[in-house]
Amino acid sequence: RRTVLCSQDDHTERAHKNDKLQISRRQTLSLVSMSTPGIMAAAFPSSSEAIPEVADKVWTAIGGGQADLFYPEEFTGSWQVVSTLVDVQVPMGEEMLTNPKLAQRARADLNRPLVYEQRFVRGSSGRIISDRSYNVVQLTKAATGGADPIDDIEWDSDNPNNMRIYLKSGPKIFTRVTRRFEDEHPEDFRLETSEVIEQVFDSEDPMGPPKVKGSRCLTKYKWRSEAQAKDGPVIVATQVVSDFVTAFEGAERVMEAQGRPSLVYTYKMSFRRPPQ
């Protein structure tokens, strides 16, 4: 790794960029879940090693749920998404947060809409899935004001639980979906999805430990036809992202939490077709 000596102005600029990166990490997690993979794998199988039907059966057999989140045909294609953070809760108090600044940064984003693009595509199974790598890039660009901090993403739609994100600044983010659930009510045009995700943020200090997060992303969708929507949103959603205490924060803290979330974000989202 490189060692860089900075002036005071450099430190100020870096702090500002880090704040933006924290926003991007939080919001990227929600997109990683609704459109993506998992988080924490030191090694990912190559596409030649991924056997979709076998992987699906094994994943289901061990209780992980279905192999990916599947969406209605109406979701196919590109969308302009407006996402607004409407609530931030700290259920156990800020003393249970490893980094209380996360809650402070999130509250600064309350009721500030973020606009980005999202895409749903047909997977090899023939069903509609989220294009997670594309979606993470688009969301991160929007969350960082167009800074585009991602250098590369490794993700295989036939092995969607794992994703590796390389940042231009050096650190890497590993994600792994460990469990998912989906409940669709097409007769009511409703869909509910849930994914449990582990995230590992590679430490910028070569001697420092990685940062590990455990989160759950619950999203409730409601949609209508584009003809019915006219100039309004075709899809609306409420998304709740809950962060949990992990074993990396110490056994005592895990026992104190008793499975309760330490930080909860609630978003309201709307989807329209991108302007031509």
Side-chain angles (χ1 to χ4, degrees), residues 65-105:
Q66 63 196 50
D68 200 354
L69 295 177
F70 301 117
Y71 297 87
E73 289 285 335
E74 291 90 339
F75 282 41
T76 308
S78 297
W79 299 89
Q80 184 183 74
V81 181
V82 179
S83 176
T84 305
L85 180 66
V86 296
D87 190 43
V88 178
Q89 295 291 327
V90 187
M92 296 181 290
E94 293 197 4
E95 63 275 8
M96 284 295 288
L97 297 178
T98 303
N99 182 3
K101 289 185 178 179
L102 291 177
Q104 297 169 17
R105 292 189 186 107

Side-chain angles (χ1 to χ4, degrees), residues 113-127:
L114 186 68
V115 182
Y116 54 93
E117 190 167 300
Q118 168 144 23
R119 186 166 69 192
F120 295 90
V121 298
R122 193 174 304 280
S124 61
S125 67
R127 304 185 69 178

Side-chain angles (χ1 to χ4, degrees), residues 5-248:
L5 300 179
C6 302
S7 66
Q8 183 62 47
D9 289 343
D10 290 334
H11 282 298
T12 302
E13 181 178 358
R14 178 190 289 179
H16 179 64
K17 289 182 178 178
N18 284 344
D19 284 348
K20 285 190 171 183
L21 181 56
Q22 290 292 342
I23 295 171
S24 131
R25 285 174 177 172
R26 162 168 48 84
Q27 294 177 323
T28 297
L29 170 66
S30 69
L31 195 57
V32 160
S33 178
M34 67 189 253
S35 28
T36 308
I39 289 175
M40 200 183 184
F44 295 84
S46 67
S47 57
S48 62
E49 294 172 313
I51 307 174
E53 295 130 56
V54 174
D56 193 346
K57 290 179 181 178
V58 171
W59 176 258
T60 302
I62 63 176
Q66 63 196 50
D68 200 354
L69 295 177
F70 301 117
Y71 297 87
E73 289 285 335
E74 291 90 339
F75 282 41
T76 308
S78 297
W79 299 89
Q80 184 183 74
V81 181
V82 179
S83 176
T84 305
L85 180 66
V86 296
D87 190 43
V88 178
Q89 295 291 327
V90 187
M92 296 181 290
E94 293 197 4
E95 63 275 8
M96 284 295 288
L97 297 178
T98 303
N99 182 3
K101 289 185 178 179
L102 291 177
Q104 297 169 17
R105 292 189 186 107
R107 291 189 182 107
D109 286 333
L110 280 168
N111 301 313
R112 294 171 58 183
L114 186 68
V115 182
Y116 54 93
E117 190 167 300
Q118 168 144 23
R119 186 166 69 192
F120 295 90
V121 298
R122 193 174 304 280
S124 61
S125 67
R127 304 185 69 178
I128 305 304
I129 61 173
S130 173
D131 187 346
R132 297 182 187 239
S133 58
Y134 176 85
N135 294 339
V136 166
V137 169
Q138 296 304 312
L139 175 58
T140 306
K141 282 183 181 179
T144 57
D148 191 16
I150 295 178
D151 184 46
D152 191 21
I153 291 183
E154 292 180 7
W155 177 68
D156 182 354
S157 61
D158 287 334
N159 182 36
N161 296 322
N162 298 322
M163 176 180 280
R164 177 178 289 171
I165 303 171
Y166 298 88
L167 301 178
K168 292 177 180 177
S169 57
K172 296 179 289 292
I173 304 173
F174 307 115
T175 73
R176 179 164 65 94
V177 175
T178 61
R179 188 172 298 274
R180 63 169 54 89
F181 167 81
E182 181 175 310
D183 186 21
E184 184 177 356
H185 298 272
E187 69 282 0
D188 297 327
F189 303 97
R190 290 188 296 112
L191 172 67
E192 181 176 324
T193 67
S194 174
E195 286 190 328
V196 177
I197 301 172
E198 292 176 332
Q199 266 186 323
V200 178
F201 300 101
D202 186 25
S203 175
E204 296 183 12
D205 179 358
M207 302 301 293
K211 297 178 181 179
V212 181
K213 286 181 63 177
S215 305
R216 181 181 63 226
C217 185
L218 173 66
T219 310
K220 295 184 178 181
Y221 298 93
K222 179 82 173 175
W223 72 93
R224 55 186 172 175
S225 71
E226 294 186 44
Q228 290 174 317
K230 296 182 180 178
D231 294 331
V234 178
I235 306 166
V236 294
T238 298
Q239 187 173 82
V240 179
V241 178
S242 302
D243 288 347
F244 294 87
V245 176
T246 70
F248 290 85

